[in-house]
Short mmCIF file of all heavy atoms in Angstrom, two decimals:
data_model
loop_
_atom_site.label_atom_id
_atom_site.label_comp_id
_atom_site.label_asym_id
_atom_site.label_seq_id
_atom_site.Cartn_x
_atom_site.Cartn_y
_atom_site.Cartn_z
N MET V 1 34.60 32.18 -7.93
CA MET V 1 35.96 32.45 -8.14
C MET V 1 36.78 32.19 -6.88
O MET V 1 36.36 32.59 -5.80
CB MET V 1 36.12 33.88 -8.61
CG MET V 1 37.54 34.29 -8.80
SD MET V 1 37.73 36.05 -8.73
CE MET V 1 36.00 36.58 -8.86
N LYS V 2 37.88 31.56 -7.08
CA LYS V 2 38.71 31.29 -5.89
C LYS V 2 39.81 32.37 -5.75
O LYS V 2 40.41 32.72 -6.74
CB LYS V 2 39.38 29.91 -6.03
CG LYS V 2 38.53 28.79 -5.53
CD LYS V 2 39.39 27.55 -5.52
CE LYS V 2 38.52 26.38 -4.93
NZ LYS V 2 39.32 25.12 -5.05
N THR V 3 40.04 32.75 -4.58
CA THR V 3 41.09 33.68 -4.33
C THR V 3 41.94 33.14 -3.19
O THR V 3 41.40 32.77 -2.15
CB THR V 3 40.54 35.07 -3.88
OG1 THR V 3 39.59 35.54 -4.81
CG2 THR V 3 41.67 36.07 -3.73
N SER V 4 43.20 33.06 -3.43
CA SER V 4 44.05 32.49 -2.42
C SER V 4 44.31 33.52 -1.31
O SER V 4 44.30 34.73 -1.58
CB SER V 4 45.39 32.02 -2.98
OG SER V 4 46.24 33.15 -3.16
N LEU V 5 44.53 33.05 -0.12
CA LEU V 5 44.70 33.97 1.01
C LEU V 5 45.88 34.88 0.79
O LEU V 5 45.86 36.02 1.11
CB LEU V 5 44.85 33.12 2.27
CG LEU V 5 44.90 33.94 3.63
CD1 LEU V 5 43.59 34.74 3.76
CD2 LEU V 5 45.04 32.95 4.76
N GLY V 6 46.96 34.28 0.27
CA GLY V 6 48.17 35.12 0.04
C GLY V 6 47.91 36.26 -0.89
O GLY V 6 48.34 37.44 -0.65
N ILE V 7 47.16 36.00 -1.96
CA ILE V 7 46.84 37.03 -2.95
C ILE V 7 46.00 38.10 -2.28
O ILE V 7 46.20 39.29 -2.39
CB ILE V 7 46.05 36.48 -4.11
CG1 ILE V 7 46.91 35.45 -4.87
CG2 ILE V 7 45.53 37.57 -5.01
CD1 ILE V 7 47.94 36.09 -5.82
N CYS V 8 45.03 37.67 -1.52
CA CYS V 8 44.14 38.57 -0.85
C CYS V 8 44.92 39.52 0.08
O CYS V 8 44.64 40.70 0.06
CB CYS V 8 43.10 37.77 0.00
SG CYS V 8 42.10 38.76 1.06
N GLN V 9 45.81 39.00 0.83
CA GLN V 9 46.47 39.84 1.80
C GLN V 9 47.44 40.81 1.10
O GLN V 9 47.76 41.89 1.65
CB GLN V 9 47.23 38.98 2.78
CG GLN V 9 46.31 38.27 3.73
CD GLN V 9 47.00 37.36 4.67
OE1 GLN V 9 48.08 36.82 4.37
NE2 GLN V 9 46.43 37.09 5.85
N ARG V 10 47.93 40.42 -0.02
CA ARG V 10 48.92 41.21 -0.75
C ARG V 10 48.21 42.32 -1.51
O ARG V 10 48.79 43.39 -1.78
CB ARG V 10 49.67 40.39 -1.73
CG ARG V 10 51.14 40.58 -1.65
CD ARG V 10 51.85 39.51 -2.46
NE ARG V 10 51.43 38.19 -2.09
CZ ARG V 10 51.60 37.12 -2.85
NH1 ARG V 10 52.14 37.24 -4.05
NH2 ARG V 10 51.24 35.96 -2.43
N LYS V 11 46.98 42.10 -1.91
CA LYS V 11 46.32 43.07 -2.77
C LYS V 11 45.71 44.19 -2.01
O LYS V 11 45.43 44.07 -0.81
CB LYS V 11 45.19 42.39 -3.56
CG LYS V 11 45.72 41.51 -4.69
CD LYS V 11 44.58 40.82 -5.40
CE LYS V 11 44.09 41.69 -6.50
NZ LYS V 11 44.63 41.39 -7.81
N ARG V 12 45.53 45.28 -2.75
CA ARG V 12 44.86 46.41 -2.18
C ARG V 12 43.43 46.13 -1.97
O ARG V 12 42.77 45.45 -2.77
CB ARG V 12 45.03 47.60 -3.15
CG ARG V 12 45.03 48.91 -2.47
CD ARG V 12 45.50 49.97 -3.43
NE ARG V 12 44.89 51.23 -3.10
CZ ARG V 12 44.96 52.31 -3.82
NH1 ARG V 12 45.54 52.26 -4.99
NH2 ARG V 12 44.39 53.39 -3.43
N ARG V 13 42.91 46.70 -0.91
CA ARG V 13 41.48 46.39 -0.58
C ARG V 13 40.63 47.65 -0.64
O ARG V 13 41.07 48.74 -0.23
CB ARG V 13 41.43 45.92 0.90
CG ARG V 13 41.01 44.51 0.99
CD ARG V 13 41.17 44.10 2.45
NE ARG V 13 42.11 42.98 2.46
CZ ARG V 13 42.48 42.39 3.57
NH1 ARG V 13 42.14 42.82 4.69
NH2 ARG V 13 43.30 41.33 3.49
N PHE V 14 39.44 47.45 -1.14
CA PHE V 14 38.50 48.63 -1.18
C PHE V 14 37.21 48.20 -0.49
O PHE V 14 36.73 47.11 -0.69
CB PHE V 14 38.25 48.95 -2.64
CG PHE V 14 39.47 49.35 -3.39
CD1 PHE V 14 40.14 48.36 -4.12
CD2 PHE V 14 39.98 50.60 -3.35
CE1 PHE V 14 41.32 48.68 -4.81
CE2 PHE V 14 41.15 50.97 -4.02
CZ PHE V 14 41.82 50.01 -4.73
N ALA V 15 36.64 49.12 0.20
CA ALA V 15 35.48 48.79 0.99
C ALA V 15 34.23 48.71 0.05
O ALA V 15 33.34 47.94 0.35
CB ALA V 15 35.24 49.92 2.02
N THR V 16 34.28 49.46 -1.04
CA THR V 16 33.11 49.40 -1.90
C THR V 16 33.54 49.29 -3.35
O THR V 16 34.68 49.54 -3.71
CB THR V 16 32.31 50.75 -1.81
OG1 THR V 16 33.12 51.79 -2.29
CG2 THR V 16 31.86 51.00 -0.40
N ARG V 17 32.68 48.74 -4.15
CA ARG V 17 32.96 48.61 -5.57
C ARG V 17 33.15 49.98 -6.22
O ARG V 17 33.96 50.11 -7.13
CB ARG V 17 31.83 47.84 -6.27
CG ARG V 17 32.05 47.57 -7.71
CD ARG V 17 30.96 46.86 -8.35
NE ARG V 17 30.81 45.48 -7.87
CZ ARG V 17 31.49 44.47 -8.39
NH1 ARG V 17 32.33 44.65 -9.38
NH2 ARG V 17 31.34 43.27 -7.94
N GLU V 18 32.45 50.97 -5.77
CA GLU V 18 32.62 52.31 -6.32
C GLU V 18 34.05 52.82 -6.14
O GLU V 18 34.64 53.38 -7.03
CB GLU V 18 31.63 53.27 -5.68
CG GLU V 18 30.18 53.13 -6.12
CD GLU V 18 29.54 51.88 -5.54
OE1 GLU V 18 30.00 51.41 -4.49
OE2 GLU V 18 28.57 51.37 -6.14
N GLU V 19 34.54 52.56 -4.96
CA GLU V 19 35.86 53.02 -4.66
C GLU V 19 36.91 52.29 -5.54
O GLU V 19 37.82 52.87 -6.07
CB GLU V 19 36.16 52.71 -3.19
CG GLU V 19 37.35 53.47 -2.57
CD GLU V 19 37.50 53.14 -1.14
OE1 GLU V 19 36.50 52.84 -0.44
OE2 GLU V 19 38.64 53.14 -0.68
N ALA V 20 36.71 51.00 -5.72
CA ALA V 20 37.59 50.22 -6.53
C ALA V 20 37.52 50.67 -7.97
O ALA V 20 38.53 50.76 -8.66
CB ALA V 20 37.27 48.75 -6.37
N ASP V 21 36.31 50.90 -8.44
CA ASP V 21 36.15 51.28 -9.80
C ASP V 21 36.79 52.66 -10.07
O ASP V 21 37.34 52.92 -11.15
CB ASP V 21 34.66 51.38 -10.15
CG ASP V 21 34.05 50.01 -10.42
OD1 ASP V 21 34.81 49.08 -10.73
OD2 ASP V 21 32.80 49.87 -10.34
N ALA V 22 36.70 53.54 -9.11
CA ALA V 22 37.28 54.84 -9.30
C ALA V 22 38.78 54.79 -9.46
O ALA V 22 39.36 55.45 -10.30
CB ALA V 22 36.95 55.73 -8.04
N VAL V 23 39.39 53.89 -8.70
CA VAL V 23 40.84 53.67 -8.89
C VAL V 23 41.15 52.99 -10.22
O VAL V 23 42.12 53.32 -10.89
CB VAL V 23 41.36 52.84 -7.70
CG1 VAL V 23 42.86 52.45 -7.93
CG2 VAL V 23 41.26 53.67 -6.38
N ALA V 24 40.31 52.05 -10.56
CA ALA V 24 40.54 51.32 -11.80
C ALA V 24 40.44 52.25 -13.00
O ALA V 24 41.21 52.11 -13.96
CB ALA V 24 39.46 50.20 -11.94
N LEU V 25 39.61 53.22 -12.95
CA LEU V 25 39.44 54.13 -14.02
C LEU V 25 40.67 55.02 -14.17
O LEU V 25 41.02 55.47 -15.31
CB LEU V 25 38.22 55.07 -13.78
CG LEU V 25 36.88 54.41 -14.08
CD1 LEU V 25 35.77 55.35 -13.63
CD2 LEU V 25 36.73 54.06 -15.53
N ARG V 26 41.35 55.28 -13.13
CA ARG V 26 42.55 56.11 -13.18
C ARG V 26 43.83 55.36 -13.56
O ARG V 26 44.82 55.91 -13.85
CB ARG V 26 42.76 56.82 -11.89
CG ARG V 26 41.78 57.94 -11.58
CD ARG V 26 42.30 58.81 -10.48
NE ARG V 26 42.41 58.09 -9.19
CZ ARG V 26 41.52 58.10 -8.27
NH1 ARG V 26 40.46 58.79 -8.36
NH2 ARG V 26 41.72 57.41 -7.18
N ALA V 27 43.69 54.06 -13.57
CA ALA V 27 44.89 53.25 -13.84
C ALA V 27 45.17 53.20 -15.35
O ALA V 27 44.34 53.40 -16.17
CB ALA V 27 44.65 51.82 -13.30
N ASP V 28 46.45 52.91 -15.65
CA ASP V 28 46.87 52.89 -17.05
C ASP V 28 46.40 51.62 -17.71
O ASP V 28 46.17 51.60 -18.90
CB ASP V 28 48.45 52.92 -17.11
CG ASP V 28 48.97 54.24 -16.63
OD1 ASP V 28 48.25 55.23 -16.73
OD2 ASP V 28 50.08 54.22 -16.15
N THR V 29 46.26 50.57 -16.94
CA THR V 29 45.80 49.33 -17.55
C THR V 29 44.32 49.08 -17.23
O THR V 29 43.79 49.74 -16.31
CB THR V 29 46.64 48.17 -16.99
OG1 THR V 29 46.60 48.21 -15.58
CG2 THR V 29 48.07 48.24 -17.46
N THR V 30 43.77 48.18 -17.95
CA THR V 30 42.39 47.83 -17.70
C THR V 30 42.27 46.99 -16.40
O THR V 30 42.84 45.92 -16.33
CB THR V 30 41.78 47.04 -18.82
OG1 THR V 30 41.94 47.82 -20.03
CG2 THR V 30 40.31 46.76 -18.68
N LEU V 31 41.59 47.55 -15.47
CA LEU V 31 41.42 46.80 -14.21
C LEU V 31 39.96 46.54 -13.97
O LEU V 31 39.07 47.24 -14.42
CB LEU V 31 41.99 47.64 -13.05
CG LEU V 31 43.47 47.91 -13.08
CD1 LEU V 31 43.87 48.81 -11.97
CD2 LEU V 31 44.24 46.58 -12.95
N ARG V 32 39.75 45.47 -13.26
CA ARG V 32 38.40 45.13 -12.97
C ARG V 32 38.20 44.84 -11.48
O ARG V 32 39.08 44.18 -10.84
CB ARG V 32 38.06 43.83 -13.75
CG ARG V 32 36.64 43.50 -13.76
CD ARG V 32 36.52 42.05 -14.25
NE ARG V 32 35.36 41.52 -13.48
CZ ARG V 32 34.34 40.96 -14.11
NH1 ARG V 32 34.27 40.83 -15.41
NH2 ARG V 32 33.33 40.53 -13.38
N ALA V 33 37.17 45.40 -10.92
CA ALA V 33 36.91 45.20 -9.51
C ALA V 33 36.18 43.90 -9.29
O ALA V 33 35.30 43.52 -10.04
CB ALA V 33 36.16 46.36 -8.94
N TYR V 34 36.53 43.19 -8.30
CA TYR V 34 35.74 42.00 -7.94
C TYR V 34 35.70 41.85 -6.44
O TYR V 34 36.54 42.29 -5.72
CB TYR V 34 36.38 40.71 -8.56
CG TYR V 34 37.75 40.38 -7.94
CD1 TYR V 34 37.82 39.47 -6.89
CD2 TYR V 34 38.92 40.96 -8.46
CE1 TYR V 34 39.08 39.12 -6.35
CE2 TYR V 34 40.14 40.55 -7.94
CZ TYR V 34 40.21 39.71 -6.90
OH TYR V 34 41.45 39.37 -6.39
N LYS V 35 34.65 41.24 -6.02
CA LYS V 35 34.49 41.07 -4.58
C LYS V 35 35.20 39.82 -4.10
O LYS V 35 35.08 38.72 -4.72
CB LYS V 35 32.98 40.95 -4.23
CG LYS V 35 32.76 40.92 -2.75
CD LYS V 35 31.28 41.20 -2.41
CE LYS V 35 31.15 41.39 -0.92
NZ LYS V 35 29.81 41.67 -0.54
N CYS V 36 35.96 39.98 -3.04
CA CYS V 36 36.77 38.88 -2.53
C CYS V 36 35.96 38.09 -1.54
O CYS V 36 35.29 38.62 -0.67
CB CYS V 36 38.03 39.49 -1.84
SG CYS V 36 39.03 38.21 -1.11
N ALA V 37 36.01 36.83 -1.73
CA ALA V 37 35.24 35.92 -0.85
C ALA V 37 35.89 35.75 0.51
O ALA V 37 35.25 35.34 1.45
CB ALA V 37 35.08 34.58 -1.52
N LEU V 38 37.16 36.11 0.56
CA LEU V 38 37.84 35.93 1.84
C LEU V 38 37.72 37.13 2.77
O LEU V 38 37.37 36.95 3.96
CB LEU V 38 39.37 35.71 1.52
CG LEU V 38 39.66 34.40 0.82
CD1 LEU V 38 41.13 34.40 0.43
CD2 LEU V 38 39.36 33.21 1.78
N CYS V 39 37.95 38.33 2.27
CA CYS V 39 37.84 39.47 3.15
C CYS V 39 36.59 40.28 2.92
O CYS V 39 36.31 41.22 3.63
CB CYS V 39 39.11 40.32 2.98
SG CYS V 39 39.20 41.09 1.30
N ARG V 40 35.83 39.87 1.91
CA ARG V 40 34.57 40.54 1.58
C ARG V 40 34.70 41.98 1.22
O ARG V 40 33.78 42.77 1.24
CB ARG V 40 33.60 40.41 2.76
CG ARG V 40 33.18 38.94 2.94
CD ARG V 40 32.17 38.76 4.00
NE ARG V 40 31.94 37.34 4.23
CZ ARG V 40 31.25 36.94 5.31
NH1 ARG V 40 30.71 37.77 6.13
NH2 ARG V 40 31.09 35.63 5.44
N ALA V 41 35.92 42.37 0.87
CA ALA V 41 36.14 43.70 0.36
C ALA V 41 36.37 43.50 -1.19
O ALA V 41 36.23 42.40 -1.65
CB ALA V 41 37.37 44.31 1.00
N PHE V 42 36.71 44.60 -1.83
CA PHE V 42 36.94 44.50 -3.29
C PHE V 42 38.41 44.61 -3.56
O PHE V 42 39.12 45.39 -2.95
CB PHE V 42 36.13 45.59 -3.97
CG PHE V 42 34.66 45.37 -3.93
CD1 PHE V 42 33.88 45.85 -2.87
CD2 PHE V 42 34.04 44.68 -4.93
CE1 PHE V 42 32.53 45.64 -2.85
CE2 PHE V 42 32.68 44.45 -4.88
CZ PHE V 42 31.93 44.91 -3.83
N HIS V 43 38.82 43.88 -4.56
CA HIS V 43 40.20 43.96 -5.06
C HIS V 43 40.11 44.32 -6.50
O HIS V 43 39.08 44.21 -7.18
CB HIS V 43 40.93 42.63 -4.96
CG HIS V 43 41.12 42.16 -3.54
ND1 HIS V 43 41.77 42.89 -2.55
CD2 HIS V 43 40.75 40.99 -2.94
CE1 HIS V 43 41.79 42.22 -1.44
NE2 HIS V 43 41.17 41.04 -1.66
N LEU V 44 41.23 44.71 -7.05
CA LEU V 44 41.33 44.99 -8.54
C LEU V 44 42.19 43.90 -9.14
O LEU V 44 43.20 43.48 -8.62
CB LEU V 44 41.92 46.33 -8.77
CG LEU V 44 41.06 47.55 -8.36
CD1 LEU V 44 41.84 48.80 -8.58
CD2 LEU V 44 39.76 47.54 -9.11
N THR V 45 41.79 43.50 -10.31
CA THR V 45 42.58 42.54 -11.07
C THR V 45 42.74 43.10 -12.46
O THR V 45 41.88 43.74 -13.01
CB THR V 45 41.97 41.19 -11.13
OG1 THR V 45 42.81 40.32 -11.90
CG2 THR V 45 40.55 41.19 -11.69
N SER V 46 43.89 42.81 -13.04
CA SER V 46 44.18 43.22 -14.43
C SER V 46 43.72 42.18 -15.39
O SER V 46 43.69 42.36 -16.62
CB SER V 46 45.63 43.54 -14.66
OG SER V 46 46.40 42.47 -14.29
N ARG V 47 43.37 41.02 -14.89
CA ARG V 47 42.89 39.94 -15.72
C ARG V 47 41.40 40.20 -16.03
O ARG V 47 40.59 40.17 -15.09
CB ARG V 47 43.03 38.60 -15.02
CG ARG V 47 44.45 38.19 -14.85
CD ARG V 47 45.08 37.76 -16.17
NE ARG V 47 46.36 37.03 -15.93
CZ ARG V 47 46.44 35.74 -15.92
NH1 ARG V 47 45.40 35.02 -16.08
NH2 ARG V 47 47.62 35.18 -15.73
N THR V 48 41.14 40.37 -17.26
CA THR V 48 39.74 40.65 -17.61
C THR V 48 39.08 39.42 -18.31
O THR V 48 37.89 39.33 -18.44
CB THR V 48 39.60 41.82 -18.46
OG1 THR V 48 40.47 41.73 -19.57
CG2 THR V 48 39.90 43.09 -17.69
N LYS V 49 39.94 38.48 -18.69
CA LYS V 49 39.41 37.32 -19.38
C LYS V 49 39.51 36.10 -18.43
O LYS V 49 40.57 35.76 -17.95
CB LYS V 49 40.20 36.99 -20.63
CG LYS V 49 39.96 37.97 -21.73
CD LYS V 49 40.73 37.59 -22.96
CE LYS V 49 40.64 38.67 -24.00
NZ LYS V 49 41.53 38.49 -25.11
N GLY V 50 38.35 35.50 -18.16
CA GLY V 50 38.35 34.32 -17.36
C GLY V 50 38.53 34.61 -15.88
O GLY V 50 38.17 33.86 -15.04
N LEU V 51 39.00 35.86 -15.61
CA LEU V 51 39.15 36.31 -14.25
C LEU V 51 39.84 35.28 -13.35
O LEU V 51 39.39 34.93 -12.26
CB LEU V 51 37.81 36.63 -13.68
CG LEU V 51 37.81 37.82 -12.67
CD1 LEU V 51 38.13 39.11 -13.46
CD2 LEU V 51 36.49 37.99 -12.00
N ARG V 52 41.03 34.85 -13.78
CA ARG V 52 41.80 33.99 -12.95
C ARG V 52 42.59 34.85 -11.99
O ARG V 52 42.85 35.99 -12.26
CB ARG V 52 42.71 33.11 -13.77
CG ARG V 52 41.97 32.42 -14.91
CD ARG V 52 42.84 31.46 -15.63
NE ARG V 52 42.86 30.22 -14.87
CZ ARG V 52 43.76 29.27 -15.04
NH1 ARG V 52 44.74 29.45 -15.88
NH2 ARG V 52 43.72 28.12 -14.32
N VAL V 53 42.98 34.25 -10.91
CA VAL V 53 43.77 35.02 -9.94
C VAL V 53 45.15 35.32 -10.54
O VAL V 53 45.88 34.48 -10.92
CB VAL V 53 43.94 34.19 -8.66
CG1 VAL V 53 44.86 35.01 -7.70
CG2 VAL V 53 42.60 33.89 -8.06
N PRO V 54 45.41 36.63 -10.63
CA PRO V 54 46.68 37.05 -11.17
C PRO V 54 47.88 36.76 -10.29
O PRO V 54 47.76 36.93 -9.06
CB PRO V 54 46.56 38.52 -11.46
CG PRO V 54 45.52 38.95 -10.48
CD PRO V 54 44.63 37.79 -10.18
N ARG V 55 48.94 36.31 -10.85
CA ARG V 55 50.16 36.09 -10.05
C ARG V 55 50.94 37.41 -10.00
O ARG V 55 50.75 38.23 -10.82
CB ARG V 55 50.99 34.97 -10.67
CG ARG V 55 50.32 33.63 -10.58
CD ARG V 55 51.38 32.52 -10.46
NE ARG V 55 52.18 32.70 -9.29
CZ ARG V 55 51.99 32.06 -8.13
NH1 ARG V 55 50.98 31.27 -8.05
NH2 ARG V 55 52.74 32.30 -7.11
N ALA V 56 51.75 37.51 -9.02
CA ALA V 56 52.53 38.76 -8.87
C ALA V 56 53.41 38.95 -10.06
O ALA V 56 54.01 38.00 -10.60
CB ALA V 56 53.38 38.62 -7.61
N VAL V 57 53.49 40.19 -10.54
CA VAL V 57 54.36 40.47 -11.72
C VAL V 57 55.73 40.65 -11.23
O VAL V 57 56.64 40.43 -11.37
CB VAL V 57 53.89 41.76 -12.41
CG1 VAL V 57 52.68 41.48 -13.25
CG2 VAL V 57 53.62 42.84 -11.35
ZN1 LIG W 101 40.45 39.72 -0.17
#
């Protein structure tokens, strides 16, 4: 999966998948944790199909 640098820097970062999942569970929308190839931390995305990089809402 490709992640653009701009998206990476804008998004919230989590050191572990557990941490990201914990936040995802509390969110109103369905979020999915994925490992970022750029910063090697985890980000959350609301895109669950195809897992394309979400654009800013
Ligand atoms: Zn990142």
Side-chain angles (χ1 to χ4, degrees):
M1 175 200 348
K2 273 189 178 175
T3 307
S4 80
L5 187 58
I7 296 282
C8 171
Q9 290 178 331
R10 228 172 305 161
K11 285 180 87 97
R12 208 168 151 188
R13 246 172 240 175
F14 302 94
T16 64
R17 182 179 291 274
E18 285 73 23
E19 197 179 328
D21 280 341
V23 173
L25 284 173
R26 286 197 298 263
D28 293 333
T29 52
T30 304
L31 295 175
R32 192 194 146 125
Y34 67 93
K35 187 165 190 179
C36 177
L38 292 172
C39 65
R40 294 182 188 172
F42 290 89
H43 296 302
L44 291 176
T45 179
S46 54
R47 292 289 193 96
T48 52
K49 288 180 186 172
L51 214 68
R52 310 188 82 198
V53 176
R55 292 211 60 97
V57 283

